[in-house]
Amino acid sequence: MAHTPNPKQQLQTHHHMIKDLSSNFKDTTVKILLLGTAESGKTTIIKQMRILHINGFTDDERREKIPEIYQNIHDSINQLVMHMGLLGLRFGSCTSERSANYILSLPAEAPEYFNEEYCDHVTTLWNDVGIRACYDRSNEFPLLDSAKYFLDNFARICDVDYIPSTEDILHSRKVTTGITQITFRVPVGSGEQEFRMYDVGGQRDERNKWIQVFEGIQAVLFLISCSEFDQNLREDGNQNRLQEALNLFRAVWQNRFLASAGLIVFLNKYDIMERKIRAGKHIVDYFPDFEDFCKRPQQQQSCFDECDWTKMFIKQKMIDITQEQFKRNSRNLCDFSSAERECYYHFTVATDTRCIRDVFSDVQQMILSENMTMAGSTLF
Ligand SMILES: Nc1nc2c(ncn2[C@@H]2O[C@H](COP(=O)(O)OP(=O)(O)OP(=O)(O)O)[C@@H](O)[C@H]2O)c(=O)[nH]1
Ligand SMILES: [Mg+2]
């Protein structure tokens, strides 16, 4: 005779089933969180994912970027002209001085259209020897990293039929406020894997929002700009940017809510770093411990010039941070040994699609390798 469960048992069985179903249902989307100080390149990585894994940008979307690009150019030329006086530099000609006065007479907001007069003045200024000297000292004030790119391409951008290229979009800069995300699928084996990447604002007053997206993150992609060793923060003109980024990296590495997420570091903007070093800048002038680092014998096979040494020095500073003993008294610090936790490093140029394609395929493989997904699923 078949056993008929009493109503109470039935209810329990049913309840059990629902519970089992819900625990079997796992969100298989891999969540990646981009972190880093302002201008480290986070949003540029989001743009690259769109180019590589979605469909890039339509003509309409490209046109929508024009005001942003115009504003980048306008801000750049304004900053340069303003700092001529502040740095005690002289223009190369009276014509340039007149162009400078024209630019200074305009509102801070970029004109809606670049008319001929505007284009002539900006072109005159960018060709001026004084402005170039000012540009060479642009580490002393906050100038957009893409200033040179846009001003070098100014004639093309002035054209009435201008449509931003993919490269223009990758170089354009807009401060991120709040949290945005992008979801995409990548072929893996015979199937597909869904990824979701979260982008946050890196400026100091944005960082209190970060914790909102810490839950369920499989990997943190931490961006640090190698080129900013000779610059200070926009938010605080007395704080070195690289030092700020290293301090932030320590806080992220030691944060207990991120302790089971994998950590991948992009040592970004090494193209700009190399350009600076070739122009005669030295990291030792800002980080005196560089001198001792260069005496370490174990580095000497892999470093051939000052660029290599500078890259390795910054990377070593991060490795040193991951090997520090944690102070266990603070609430937000994780309280288990870091010995079993790995951090992965890549040197990147976020504006270079091929570079990001290669690096991301490594990153993707690593995240999908059992270790990291296991770690991610045991979070909370
Ligand atoms: N040359 C060069 N420019 C880069 C690189 N990475 C980013 N940039 C530029 O640097 C600027 C800042 O990059 P974003 O991606 O906006 O920086 P972010 O980290 O999102 O900054 P916030 O939103 O303020 O946190 C943009 O103009 C980018 O085009 C790089 O590797 N090389
Ligand atoms: Mg951003």
Side-chain angles (χ1 to χ4, degrees):
M1 203 169 71
H3 171 74
T4 332
N6 66 33
K8 200 178 166 209
Q9 270 180 323
Q10 226 170 8
L11 197 74
Q12 273 179 341
T13 323
H14 194 63
H15 185 76
H16 221 90
M17 265 176 58
I18 291 173
K19 212 179 145 207
D20 276 347
L21 267 178
S22 62
S23 68
N24 282 342
F25 176 78
K26 273 214 200 89
D27 185 1
T28 54
T29 304
V30 171
K31 300 194 184 78
I32 303 175
L33 173 60
L34 294 170
L35 296 178
T37 55
E39 295 179 276
S40 55
K42 299 179 291 300
T43 304
T44 312
I45 295 292
I46 295 280
K47 291 178 188 168
Q48 293 286 17
M49 292 305 117
R50 186 158 169 179
I51 293 163
L52 288 166
H53 302 298
I54 307 181
N55 46 8
F57 304 93
T58 65
D59 270 6
D60 280 344
E61 287 164 339
R62 287 170 196 276
R63 277 193 206 93
E64 279 167 20
K65 297 279 181 192
I66 294 180
E68 194 179 302
I69 291 170
Y70 278 14
Q71 191 64 48
N72 278 194
I73 292 173
H74 193 63
D75 288 346
S76 301
I77 203 70
N78 251 309
Q79 281 288 333
L80 286 167
V81 169
M82 256 165 47
H83 283 88
M84 287 294 289
L86 294 170
L87 296 177
L89 296 167
R90 307 277 298 266
F91 288 101
S93 71
C94 305
T95 323
S96 304
E97 234 171 284
R98 270 197 301 276
S99 295
N101 288 332
Y102 170 84
I103 293 294
L104 291 174
S105 74
L106 299 175
E109 204 163 303
E112 197 176 341
Y113 302 102
F114 282 180
N115 60 28
E116 213 182 307
E117 193 183 18
Y118 185 90
C119 293
D120 287 346
H121 286 306
V122 173
T123 307
T124 303
L125 286 167
W126 186 233
N127 289 323
D128 183 81
V129 285
I131 285 284
R132 291 305 176 115
C134 189
Y135 176 77
D136 290 340
R137 289 178 60 182
S138 59
N139 64 306
E140 296 174 43
F141 56 94
L143 182 70
L144 293 175
D145 272 324
S146 297
K148 181 176 159 53
Y149 173 85
F150 284 128
L151 289 166
D152 284 345
N153 285 281
F154 187 63
R156 175 171 60 83
I157 296 169
C158 276
D159 194 289
V160 281
D161 295 323
Y162 169 62
I163 295 180
S165 66
T166 302
E167 212 182 342
D168 295 347
I169 293 174
L170 287 167
H171 278 87
S172 128
R173 154 86 178 144
K174 190 173 162 210
V175 182
T176 304
T177 55
I179 296 161
T180 60
Q181 62 181 64
I182 185 172
T183 307
F184 53 89
R185 292 171 162 276
V186 177
V188 174
S190 56
E192 269 189 336
Q193 173 64 50
E194 189 166 84
F195 285 86
R196 184 164 303 141
M197 242 186 210
Y198 294 91
D199 184 23
V200 299
Q203 288 189 348
R204 280 184 180 176
D205 56 5
E206 285 290 317
R207 294 179 204 159
N208 57 354
K209 300 177 189 163
W210 291 6
I211 192 149
Q212 294 171 30
V213 271
F214 282 1
E215 194 174 327
I217 293 294
Q218 270 94 338
V220 170
L221 232 170
F222 188 90
L223 275 92
I224 183 165
S225 162
C226 308
S227 62
E228 55 187 27
F229 60 80
D230 63 346
Q231 291 170 273
N232 287 351
L233 293 183
R234 276 178 205 268
E235 302 98 301
D236 172 1
N238 293 314
Q239 169 72 338
N240 179 278
R241 287 197 192 199
L242 181 57
Q243 193 54 58
E244 173 92 351
L246 291 168
N247 296 346
L248 187 63
F249 176 66
R250 177 180 294 106
V252 167
W253 173 258
Q254 298 187 352
N255 189 296
R256 80 185 163 97
F257 297 112
L258 296 172
S260 49
L263 196 48
I264 300 151
V265 171
F266 280 10
L267 290 125
N268 193 37
K269 297 195 182 182
Y270 78 78
D271 59 327
I272 301 179
M273 185 214 77
E274 289 181 352
R275 195 162 80 205
K276 279 188 178 177
I277 290 176
R278 272 186 247 112
K281 296 272 160 61
H282 309 286
I283 199 168
V284 71
D285 295 335
Y286 304 86
F287 291 82
D289 49 330
F290 179 73
E291 204 177 318
D292 282 337
F293 176 76
C294 292
K295 293 179 189 142
R296 292 192 189 182
Q298 70 271 28
Q299 298 288 341
Q300 286 177 358
Q301 298 98 331
S302 55
C303 296
F304 299 104
D305 58 16
E306 192 173 343
C307 293
D308 292 342
W309 279 104
T310 306
K311 279 166 145 179
M312 288 306 147
F313 173 68
I314 299 172
K315 180 176 167 185
Q316 189 60 47
K317 278 199 165 297
M318 303 188 85
I319 294 173
D320 290 347
I321 287 171
T322 64
Q323 287 167 357
E324 283 172 8
Q325 288 293 313
F326 289 8
K327 288 187 217 79
R328 280 158 203 262
N329 49 9
S330 172
R331 202 162 51 88
N332 281 338
L333 300 188
C334 76
D335 49 18
F336 57 80
S337 155
S338 63
E340 68 265 31
R341 195 172 173 212
E342 280 239 46
C343 184
Y344 301 86
Y345 301 90
H346 293 276
F347 288 97
T348 57
V349 174
T351 45
D352 179 347
T353 305
R354 220 185 309 154
C355 165
I356 298 307
R357 185 192 63 199
D358 294 346
V359 169
F360 187 73
S361 95
D362 278 2
V363 165
Q364 181 190 315
Q365 267 182 354
M366 188 179 36
I367 294 175
L368 295 179
S369 80
E370 250 175 301
N371 287 340
M372 269 200 185
T373 24
M374 289 283 287
S377 61
T378 56
L379 237 191
F380 301 101

